Amino acid sequence: MLWNRNWKAMKSDENRALLFAFGLCAKAGKLVYGVPMVCEALKKQKVMAVFAAADNAPNSAKRLLDRCAFYGVPLYELAIDGDTLSGAVGKSGRLAALAVTDQSLCQLVLSKLPKNTENDKHEN
């Protein structure tokens, strides 16, 4: 089971709260999944913040960084791998990035970020 395999990454209360917030956003339908769809949503200017998984490929990380810088949207690198991220939002496979499209849900997710993630924010 995907949930049991990723339990070690969720042992931290901070990670659990963050993944719960992502699940709530997914349930509300206010998430965009994957690098291509996130880049498309950035182009349409419907994104409040972008969250990247820790195990992204270099090309995906650069593409997200460049697009977020161009459109002025904050990009946060999480200390969570793509498998755990996809399990939290109810998707199969691995997710490289998520984008939150609602302002109030974005504030919820930002409030649940671990303190060390604030330093990983890429200023645009």
Side-chain angles (χ1 to χ4, degrees):
M1 285 178 45
L2 183 64
W3 184 262
N4 289 338
R5 184 172 39 141
N6 296 318
W7 180 248
K8 290 180 183 175
M10 291 186 61
K11 280 190 177 177
S12 166
D13 288 336
E14 293 173 336
N15 283 347
R16 232 181 273 160
L18 178 63
L19 293 174
F20 177 77
F22 281 133
L24 189 63
C25 293
K27 188 76 169 175
K30 300 297 181 182
L31 280 183
V32 178
Y33 309 98
V35 175
M37 298 302 289
V38 167
C39 291
E40 187 66 30
L42 283 167
K43 189 184 291 186
K44 293 180 181 179
Q45 299 178 351
K46 296 185 180 218
V47 174
M48 301 296 142
V50 176
F51 301 91
D55 57 348
N56 279 346
N59 287 341
S60 296
K62 183 179 179 340
R63 184 175 179 194
L64 286 172
L65 183 63
D66 291 346
R67 292 287 171 106
C68 288
F70 182 78
Y71 291 109
V73 175
L75 171 67
Y76 295 89
E77 290 183 10
L78 303 173
I80 300 170
D81 66 339
D83 291 329
T84 305
L85 201 57
S86 66
V89 296
K91 297 290 181 183
S92 61
R94 194 185 79 72
L95 282 178
L98 294 174
V100 180
T101 59
D102 183 65
Q103 182 65 37
S104 60
L105 288 173
C106 184
Q107 291 300 323
L108 172 71
V109 171
L110 292 177
S111 71
K112 302 298 181 190
L113 282 175
K115 300 302 178 214
N116 59 351
T117 308
E118 294 294 329
N119 298 332
D120 294 342
K121 175 184 173 187
H122 294 282
E123 291 295 330
N124 300 320

